[in-house]
Amino acid sequence: MAKRGGNGRTPELTARAVVIGVVCALALAVGSWAIDTYGGQGILPDWADLYDFFEIDSDSQPAQAPQDGEATVTFWDVGQGDSVLISSGGSYCLIDAGTQQSADTLVDDLWASGIQKLDLVVMTHPHADHIGGMEDVLENFEVGTLLLPDLSVADTDSGLLSRVLQAAEDTGTPCVQAEEGWQQTIGEGTLTVLYAGLIPEDKEDVDLNNISLCVRYELGKFSYLCTGDAEEDAEEELVLTAGLELPSTLFKAGHHGSNTSNTQTLLSAVRPKLAVVSCGLDNDYGHPHQEVLDRFAQNGVEVWRTDEQGTVTVTGKADGSWEVSASGAETAEPLAPAA
């Protein structure tokens, strides 16, 4: 039983009564002052008025964090594949590494960008169009961390994935299996794993697209969301898991613009201002699918495409503004998808 004071009240109740009393007194004081000041006109005082009333120096109040800094998100033209570089403040994060056919070009482009070290390399999932150049990247650059999806459902003993993991071991690259909430600072922003992939109970029946890591990079009011090749089921789980964290300025179209991804449910949660589709010219899959382009148009999303415009570079600033450029000489404007 709680110990009572001489007046029969618990200390907790007494303290609560004191707090309520103080709040009421302050409310009455402010209300009376507001009536005297504004003559009962229904005008509420602002913070500056309250600082003056309580004789608080407004200059001593904590100011909002300055919206400084910028980040560049580069969507390399790697054909029918994905490779995205985030750079900020001399730090670099590479998400996926394109196809084997584009590996030499990717390495050359990274070198040409003056990069010697990649602070983070992210493997969204182990399909060849996403990890085709990863072995070459590991062998040509110092990599701080290789972030991996759950590979318990993948064949790690042979093929391209095996060579990537072996290259990581040979180069002494630290490997981390992603978990939701994992973060790393990249320059002046932060990359966060929002969703670590959809792993079915029956691991014999797995779609490797759906184990894709979904990551978001944020710098001030600018943000970028990458969902790899996550398809509809995984997108639904992503929204359930991280719905409030999804709104993003920039979105990489899921699964190269496939109609198996990019659902209205996801777009309603993300509300992107612009999207970049990474795909190969005249690819066999018909990416990006027209219904996805239509959906982007209906949601007011500006669209850029590596197959038609080459490497696309988005420079985002902490104040929320951005600029876009493309390596295609005659395609420096966003493509307007059919409505």
Side-chain angles (χ1 to χ4, degrees):
M1 178 178 295
K3 183 178 180 181
R4 295 182 179 273
N7 59 5
R9 296 173 180 166
T10 64
E12 291 84 353
L13 290 175
T14 301
R16 185 179 303 172
V18 170
V19 170
I20 292 174
V22 170
V23 170
C24 291
L26 288 174
L28 288 171
V30 172
S32 176
W33 164 76
I35 291 173
D36 292 341
T37 302
Y38 296 106
Q41 299 177 31
I43 300 174
L44 293 176
D46 59 20
W47 284 110
D49 294 328
L50 293 175
Y51 288 151
D52 290 340
F53 177 72
F54 288 108
E55 299 183 350
I56 299 173
D57 181 6
S58 60
D59 293 335
S60 69
Q61 303 309 302
Q64 290 185 338
Q67 297 295 313
D68 296 329
E70 65 180 36
T72 298
V73 185
T74 302
F75 299 81
W76 301 110
D77 181 8
V78 291
Q80 184 61 20
D82 269 4
S83 186
V84 180
L85 178 73
I86 300 172
S87 59
S88 175
S91 297
Y92 303 95
C93 167
L94 185 71
I95 303 177
D96 290 333
T99 66
Q100 288 182 278
Q101 292 77 13
S102 65
D104 289 343
T105 301
L106 176 61
V107 169
D108 289 344
D109 286 340
L110 292 172
W111 278 120
S113 300
I115 297 171
Q116 296 181 343
K117 176 181 178 180
L118 293 162
D119 299 86
L120 178 65
V121 171
V122 178
M123 177 193 295
T124 61
H125 67 294
H127 276 158
D129 57 332
H130 291 252
I131 65 169
M134 199 162 286
E135 178 182 6
D136 296 68
V137 167
L138 291 169
E139 292 175 346
N140 282 275
F141 300 91
E142 179 185 353
V143 174
T145 301
L146 175 60
L147 187 65
L148 300 171
D150 187 342
L151 297 176
S152 65
V153 294
D155 181 6
T156 59
D157 295 326
S158 62
L160 182 56
L161 177 58
S162 175
R163 296 200 302 273
V164 170
L165 297 178
Q166 186 61 52
E169 182 178 343
D170 293 343
T171 57
T173 301
C175 295
V176 175
Q177 180 176 313
E179 296 181 352
E180 289 157 17
W182 186 93
Q183 291 185 325
Q184 179 159 328
T185 298
I186 304 295
E188 297 173 86
T190 302
L191 183 133
T192 303
V193 176
L194 296 184
Y195 184 59
L198 180 61
I199 308 298
E201 293 183 5
D202 181 3
K203 295 187 178 182
E204 298 298 322
D205 183 27
V206 62
D207 181 347
L208 291 181
N209 285 331
N210 280 338
I211 74 168
S212 291
L213 300 182
C214 299
V215 299
R216 183 176 181 272
Y217 178 78
E218 182 176 27
L219 190 160
K221 295 181 181 179
F222 174 80
S223 50
Y224 163 58
L225 177 68
C226 171
T227 59
D229 280 359
E231 299 188 350
E232 183 173 358
D233 289 347
E235 286 186 352
E236 289 180 359
E237 290 298 320
L238 169 63
V239 171
L240 290 173
T241 300
L244 296 177
E245 301 172 85
L246 287 176
S248 300
T249 316
L250 171 62
F251 173 55
K252 186 193 73 65
H255 200 181
H256 318 286
S258 171
N259 58 14
T260 61
S261 306
N262 307 287
T263 60
Q264 183 57 52
T265 297
L266 180 65
L267 292 182
S268 294
V270 178
R271 305 193 300 276
K273 302 299 183 183
L274 64 161
V276 177
V277 182
S278 182
C279 61
L281 186 64
D282 299 325
N283 62 84
D284 295 337
Y285 307 96
H287 294 157
H289 291 146
Q290 187 60 47
E291 64 188 272
V292 172
L293 295 178
D294 292 346
R295 194 173 297 140
F296 283 141
Q298 292 160 6
N299 284 270
V301 182
E302 180 179 304
V303 176
W304 296 74
R305 295 171 53 166
T306 63
D307 60 333
E308 297 185 0
Q309 297 170 292
T311 293
V312 176
T313 302
V314 180
T315 300
K317 299 183 179 180
D319 64 4
S321 63
W322 71 87
E323 297 177 353
V324 189
S325 63
S327 63
E330 299 179 358
T331 54
E333 297 293 332
L335 301 175

